[in-house]
Amino acid sequence: MADLFDRFAPLMAQRDALLGDGGINPFQVKMDELLSPTEAMIDGRRTILAGTNNYLGLTFSPEALKAAHEALEACGTGTTGSRVANGTYGSHKDLENTLAEFFGKEHAMVFSTGFLANLGILSTLMGPEDYILMDADCHASIYDGVRASQAQIIRFRHNDAADLEKRLARLEGKPGNKLIVIEGIYSMLGDKAPIAEIVAVKKKFTNVYLLSDEAHSLGVLGRYGRGLPEEAGVEDDVDFIVGTFSKSVGTVGGFCVSNHPHFDMLRLVCRAYVFTASLPPSVVVSAIANLKLIKQGGALRARLMRNAEHLHRGLSDLGLKLGSDVSSVIAVVAPDPQVAVAFWRGLIEAGVYVNLALPPATPFGYSLLRASLCAAHTEGQIEEIIAVFATVAARLGLIERPAAKRAAG
Amino acid sequence: MSGAPAETVARLIPLLEPFNKTGAHLSAATRFTEDLNFDSLIVMEFVAAVEDAFDISVPLNILPDVATVGQLAAAIEKILGEEKS
Ligand SMILES: Cc1ncc(COP(=O)(O)O)c(C=O)c1O
């Protein structure tokens, strides 16, 4: 008999083959107690968190905690309404002003998540007569947003400005607007977009706009944490910056900033903004407090990069295959999904949490143990992460048995 | 989509060869999913090879309507026609 879920049958079979043997399910990890931004109790074990995208460790910042407590008492647990109805409080406006000032842009719009920001902005800005040129490795929320726009969707090769140029040239003379969509740092491997080259290509054509999703680079790159456009010195050439509060900002929510004179029109027509409830004020003020810390967060960024260099060096010295150069995201490439699952279980059982990422969600069909660094990781924690990787990788036969000193660590 | 352009099909078949892991017979009627077991990653790689060979961009939007080699050939013809215009 036909069943609604028959369409998932191949995936269910794959899932059962991969995870069905009773070990810990990597996609159903439960944090029983948070000990700090970098440690939690999982399965009764003290576990180092090395896969939470909590790049600056701000989830417990005293400034945000204090503001959130006060807002909870003053405004309650939720707004119970959309931004265009009863869901805009003073703090929502304050957050939008903070963002505009932070990025030096005229306009800012806050969404309930980063996913909704991408979905809403992309689906609303572009229409059936337009062209979207997107990096092939973009996030699922970007894919969903561009599909919903009904624009012609053209993918260019990941981080390949020359391929983008070829594709723009093929569209020359066609009516319709063109929007290039990239990410500052790509989430799976942690590699950066060649944004200066992309801007140079953009400038060779007319009617071409650029949107960058700074989800993983906000707070991480640039002297003041404004992401890749700041680091690369091309902020004026990025027409729309999308981002999330769910990573370096340490809470939840999404946003878009822009200098476009009519940007505010989106507040009326963007369905992902209009038809969903706004963020609770406690979340909103947490974001404001942490954005201030991010702006002055040069020392945090320096610690984050030191930690990234430390982990990258340690893992590559072990002989593991890494997905990219030093970055706040460091992904170890496993030979196949089975080995990746065994690797992940070995790590969690030894008290290290990283993300397991499997194809088709990964570039090149890679099976990944994806670590993300935190400014709050100590050198000792990084050493421990490296030692645990060494032990598990050796047990799986992926590297030579590590030197006795390290195995004992 | 009757009468898939034979010349385009003939150009597609050698491009498809490296992706033919099932050893299926390749013709205009070959189906990507059922006969060749294509998944989304292979589709991406194959489409990139086609784009290079024909010097075109294949919009993502058309892929759901392309099930066979013949249908892909027809879609390519259409894109080539539009790019000239
Ligand atoms: C590149 C990218 N964009 C957008 C999002 C969505 O952000 P959010 O968690 O706020 O929905 C994420 C992360 O989930 C992401 O990695």
Side-chain angles (χ1 to χ4, degrees), chain A residues 113-115 118 139 141 183 187 213 215-216 244 246-247 253:
Chain A
T113 68
F115 193 108
N118 272 329
H139 188 257
S141 56
E183 295 176 20
S187 56
D213 180 350
H216 293 269
T244 173
S246 74
K247 305 186 195 300

Side-chain angles (χ1 to χ4, degrees), chain B residues 17-18 25-26 31 36-37 43 50 52 63 65 68 71 73-74 80 82:
Chain B
E17 222 64 83
H25 172 69
L26 300 178
R31 297 166 301 176
L36 296 171
N37 262 342
V43 167
V50 169
D52 281 346
L63 295 183
D65 298 325
T68 67
Q71 286 168 355
L80 286 169
E82 279 171 8

Side-chain angles (χ1 to χ4, degrees), chain A residues 151 153 155 157 167 170, chain B residues 51-52 55-57 60-61:
Chain A
I153 307 157
R155 283 187 298 193
R157 284 206 173 78
R167 290 165 191 277
R170 288 179 190 138
Chain B
E51 289 177 316
D52 281 346
D55 192 23
I56 55 172
S57 294
L60 267 193
N61 319 51

Side-chain angles (χ1 to χ4, degrees), chain A residues 192-212:
Chain A
K192 288 179 206 172
I195 197 166
E197 290 171 43
I198 286 170
V199 164
V201 167
K202 174 195 160 186
K203 287 178 165 171
K204 291 187 187 174
F205 300 88
T206 50
N207 246 356
V208 182
Y209 297 85
L210 174 60
L211 180 150
S212 184

Side-chain angles (χ1 to χ4, degrees), chain A residues 151-376:
Chain A
Q152 293 295 307
I153 307 157
I154 294 168
R155 283 187 298 193
F156 61 92
R157 284 206 173 78
H158 176 55
N159 276 354
D160 189 337
D163 191 51
L164 169 66
E165 178 166 1
K166 223 163 50 181
R167 290 165 191 277
L168 276 168
R170 288 179 190 138
L171 295 176
E172 253 192 312
K174 299 228 180 207
N177 293 306
K178 287 131 204 163
L179 178 70
I180 303 167
V181 184
I182 60 169
E183 295 176 20
I185 291 181
Y186 287 86
S187 56
M188 283 295 128
L189 301 181
D191 49 338
K192 288 179 206 172
I195 197 166
E197 290 171 43
I198 286 170
V199 164
V201 167
K202 174 195 160 186
K203 287 178 165 171
K204 291 187 187 174
F205 300 88
T206 50
N207 246 356
V208 182
Y209 297 85
L210 174 60
L211 180 150
S212 184
D213 180 350
E214 295 294 316
H216 293 269
S217 34
L218 167 64
V220 169
L221 300 179
R223 179 156 181 220
Y224 297 102
R226 296 196 296 267
L228 185 63
E230 184 196 354
E231 185 185 80
V234 296
E235 287 174 283
D236 289 344
D237 299 299
V238 181
D239 303 282
F240 303 93
I241 289 179
V242 172
T244 173
F245 306 134
S246 74
K247 305 186 195 300
S248 65
V249 187
T251 178
V252 66
F255 67 87
C256 180
V257 297
S258 175
N259 275 336
H260 197 287
H262 301 310
F263 187 72
D264 260 354
M265 182 58 201
L266 291 172
R267 292 187 200 272
L268 282 185
V269 291
C270 186
R271 298 162 69 85
Y273 176 85
V274 173
F275 295 101
T276 194
S278 67
L279 290 169
S282 54
V283 164
V284 172
V285 297
S286 306
I288 295 173
N290 282 345
L291 278 166
K292 289 198 180 117
L293 299 179
I294 287 176
K295 193 170 179 177
Q296 316 150 359
L300 291 174
R301 281 183 279 286
R303 274 216 293 283
L304 173 66
M305 282 328 287
R306 257 204 317 276
N307 286 340
E309 278 159 24
H310 187 172
L311 185 63
H312 195 276
R313 191 173 352 104
L315 295 179
S316 62
D317 283 354
L318 293 176
L320 288 166
K321 179 177 175 187
L322 302 185
S324 65
D325 297 339
V326 176
S327 164
S328 39
V329 172
I330 296 177
V332 172
V333 183
D336 61 50
Q338 274 80 15
V339 173
V341 169
F343 205 144
W344 184 89
R345 284 183 175 148
L347 296 174
I348 197 81
E349 281 159 14
V352 172
Y353 173 80
V354 298
N355 306 122
L356 174 67
L358 300 176
T362 50
F364 310 114
Y366 278 161
S367 299
L368 299 174
L369 288 311
R370 175 192 178 276
S372 54
L373 277 305
C374 180

